[in-house]
Amino acid sequence: MTSDLELTADVLVVGGGLAATWTALAAAQAGGTVVLADKGYCGTSGVTATAGVTHWFVPPARHEQAVAERHAHAGGLADPEQALRVLRTTWERLPTLDKYYPFPVRDGQPDRTNNVRGPEYLRAMRGLIHRAGVRILDHHPALELLLRPDGSAGGATGVRRQAGGTWRVRAGSVVLATGGTAFRSNLLGSRGNTGDGHLMAVEAGARLSGMEFSNYYTLAPAYSTMARSMSYLFGTYTDAGGAEIELGRNRNRDLGAALLRGPVFTTLDRTPEWVRRKMPIVQPNFLLPFARRGIDPYTDRFEVTLLGEGTIRGVGGLTVSAPDCATDVPGLFAAGDVTSRVPVVGAISGGGSPNSAWAVSSGTWAGRAAVRHARSAGTAPLHSVGRAGIRPSGRTTTVDTTGVVDVVREELNAYDKNMFRDERGLQESLSTLDALWTVVEGGLTGTGREAVTARETASLVAMGRWVKTAALRRPETRGMHWRTDDPTWQEAAA
């Protein structure tokens, strides 16, 4: 038995991770009626739920120094004032979690600079938004936005995975907090992050920026999805023959080059004793893949790989304006990894503490602004704007979605195609993705759960095309964007 669901709210939040819950909380605290629709189960979906995270949490007296230190390596693209706003808002908002999350205590006071356990953090956030009156729709993936005749966002529609049928929410404002995408690289927690929010927003008229800075990689055991970059700082790396691999300041570049030559192995033998003691407490899942195979990572040699993090630890996404995280579409706001974080961190990764602080701050700004906008929104009729995977431009045809996704994975994760870039390789990748887009946009569609698969497939292809197009338009090496046909790239990427 299936049933359709129709709701009305001041604010609709699409997503269920860190940015989405901070958005929903801010909107509810601002007096708005809020509905949150998550593709998975709010509190367990997304990359934060599988990780231990830190926040860019700095005392006000050190704000300018902290920004200057990070922006020294930002490639000249960051906006110091935007970064300062992130620090100020995070300093204001994070302590409100003290009653609900057990921060470590140092000298009798909560120490909010330490690692926060993702599952407990998001469980606390789910409880907070529930108590604030947010209507949570678990397993309700969104498919498309609804617009008013004037082009402003007025809601969204999607599929009810468990109850069957569809859902439709009319809202005064919509906030997209759907996260980034790792292009199905097998990064832990990222499978559901396929760029759906980006595609929905672009179809409605939003812009993207910084998409060329979307090729960050993180180390993991070759047989696991458990990527944890900090732990691997203490490794000794060798090739298949046992020869040590010399690593410079840019470890990922050197390891990527080594992996193109053959297998790479490591032993985390340089890990300080205090880190070994804290690891089972702070990131207990990090050790599980080793325990299952009888490996002691601190003494035994094991094979590693680099998992692509796409726009998750990369920084490309929807362009939003200060101070309210508004997109180019009136009534449509965005928060967290779905947005471009270039103004905050520039051309380098925001992975770790800046991204978490951005989720807190952008969610706060977007949630409050969405309520303000909703109060002036009208009740005009709404129309759907979704296309690829929903309303094909041509005759419906059978599309091998698994095969399409496999091609996207290759083009957006292979080291020689995405880490080390040049004009020819980027053109070839874009040509491949353009051909896929013709097939997907022209004939792919589905109903019910198949509609979710179709939409995810279309979103992955679209995101891949935008990344390659942006990379072609920046012929220089800057930050994580390495163009090997730039004569200065070796020096610039060092």
Side-chain angles (χ1 to χ4, degrees):
M1 181 178 180
T2 63
S3 61
D4 296 335
L5 176 68
E6 294 203 18
L7 298 172
T8 300
D10 292 326
V11 178
L12 168 64
V13 180
V14 182
L18 194 57
T21 49
W22 276 106
T23 300
L25 181 63
Q29 290 173 337
T33 57
V34 184
V35 172
L36 180 148
D38 187 13
K39 182 187 287 190
Y41 182 86
C42 174
T44 66
S45 57
V47 293
T48 298
T50 62
V53 299
T54 57
H55 294 82
W56 202 20
F57 189 76
V58 180
R62 290 192 58 248
H63 281 183
E64 292 191 5
Q65 178 186 347
V67 170
E69 289 172 352
R70 277 203 63 90
H71 287 188
H73 308 289
L77 298 182
D79 176 2
E81 185 53 41
Q82 184 78 319
L84 286 170
R85 289 186 66 238
V86 169
L87 287 175
R88 293 174 191 137
T89 302
T90 306
W91 184 259
E92 165 206 335
R93 293 291 279 169
L94 197 58
T96 64
L97 207 62
D98 287 355
K99 295 181 180 179
Y100 310 99
Y101 179 84
F103 287 103
V105 175
R106 179 181 296 177
D107 298 328
Q109 297 295 324
D111 182 4
R112 306 179 194 94
T113 62
N114 272 5
N115 205 294
V116 179
R117 289 169 60 143
E120 295 172 19
Y121 186 1
L122 286 182
R123 182 172 61 189
M125 292 302 299
R126 181 185 174 98
L128 274 171
I129 66 173
H130 175 73
R131 288 189 292 274
V134 175
R135 174 77 179 268
I136 302 173
L137 303 179
D138 294 312
H139 305 293
H140 280 61
L143 293 180
E144 60 181 327
L145 291 174
L146 302 173
L147 300 187
R148 301 182 181 90
D150 63 1
S152 63
T157 65
V159 173
R160 308 184 75 191
R161 281 186 187 269
Q162 295 183 331
T166 64
W167 62 267
R168 184 178 191 268
V169 175
R170 169 184 281 274
S173 302
V174 179
V175 184
L176 294 173
T178 49
T181 178
F183 297 102
R184 290 283 170 85
S185 69
N186 292 326
L187 177 73
L188 187 65
S190 72
R191 182 171 177 79
N193 294 71
T194 48
D196 313 357
H198 300 81
L199 180 56
M200 285 189 284
V202 169
E203 288 173 332
R207 291 178 301 138
L208 300 160
S209 63
M211 294 300 288
E212 65 270 40
F213 307 119
S214 301
N215 58 339
Y216 189 86
Y217 290 77
T218 304
L219 277 159
Y223 48 81
S224 173
T225 61
M226 188 64 64
R228 290 294 179 268
S229 57
M230 189 274 286
S231 305
Y232 289 93
L233 295 174
F234 307 112
T236 298
Y237 295 87
T238 55
D239 62 20
E244 185 168 350
I245 299 169
E246 185 175 346
L247 302 180
R249 188 166 65 87
N250 202 312
R251 298 162 60 86
N252 277 3
R253 184 194 67 170
D254 297 334
L255 289 169
L259 282 161
L260 286 173
R261 296 191 296 267
V264 171
F265 300 82
T266 190
T267 303
L268 305 182
D269 54 339
R270 300 175 184 175
T271 307
E273 185 58 36
W274 69 269
V275 174
R276 301 186 192 193
R277 288 197 308 269
K278 291 189 69 171
M279 190 61 66
I281 300 171
V282 175
Q283 294 187 343
N285 55 356
F286 171 73
L287 295 171
L288 287 178
F290 301 112
R292 288 169 179 158
R293 290 177 173 249
I295 294 173
D296 181 347
Y298 305 121
T299 59
D300 299 336
R301 185 171 179 254
F302 60 95
E303 188 176 353
V304 295
T305 189
L306 283 166
L307 294 179
E309 297 223 21
T311 66
I312 294 173
R313 282 185 188 253
V315 293
L318 295 173
T319 302
V320 293
S321 62
D324 55 8
C325 287
T327 71
D328 297 301
V329 181
L332 181 64
F333 303 82
D337 290 351
V338 72
T339 69
S340 172
R341 283 133 288 155
V342 171
V344 180
V345 297
I348 60 175
S349 174
S353 58
N355 272 5
S356 299
W358 174 248
V360 175
S361 56
S362 63
T364 297
W365 304 332
R368 292 170 178 172
V371 172
R372 291 194 297 270
H373 183 275
R375 289 169 179 156
S376 61
T379 57
L382 303 177
H383 64 276
S384 304
V385 293
R387 293 293 178 264
I390 302 176
R391 300 176 187 88
S393 61
R395 179 179 297 178
T396 301
T397 185
T398 299
V399 176
D400 177 10
T401 54
T402 300
V404 170
V405 171
D406 284 345
V407 174
V408 173
R409 287 181 62 194
E410 169 68 16
E411 298 301 325
L412 273 298
N413 289 296
Y415 313 137
D416 57 340
K417 296 181 179 182
N418 199 50
M419 180 182 287
F420 304 104
R421 296 166 164 175
D422 61 25
E423 177 89 12
R424 179 180 176 181
L426 288 168
Q427 289 283 11
E428 289 177 352
S429 281
L430 184 57
S431 177
T432 298
L433 293 166
D434 282 345
L436 287 182
W437 180 251
T438 299
V439 173
V440 167
E441 190 271 340
L444 177 61
T445 190
T447 58
R449 295 184 179 181
E450 291 180 354
V452 178
T453 300
R455 196 63 163 156
E456 289 180 335
T457 303
S459 298
L460 286 166
V461 177
M463 288 287 282
R465 295 173 70 230
W466 294 328
V467 166
K468 299 295 183 177
T469 299
L472 275 166
R473 291 181 179 177
R474 185 177 289 277
E476 63 177 356
T477 290
R478 189 178 293 261
M480 71 179 78
H481 171 61
W482 301 334
R483 286 288 298 258
T484 59
D485 49 358
D486 171 10
T488 67
W489 95 273
Q490 288 283 4
E491 178 182 351

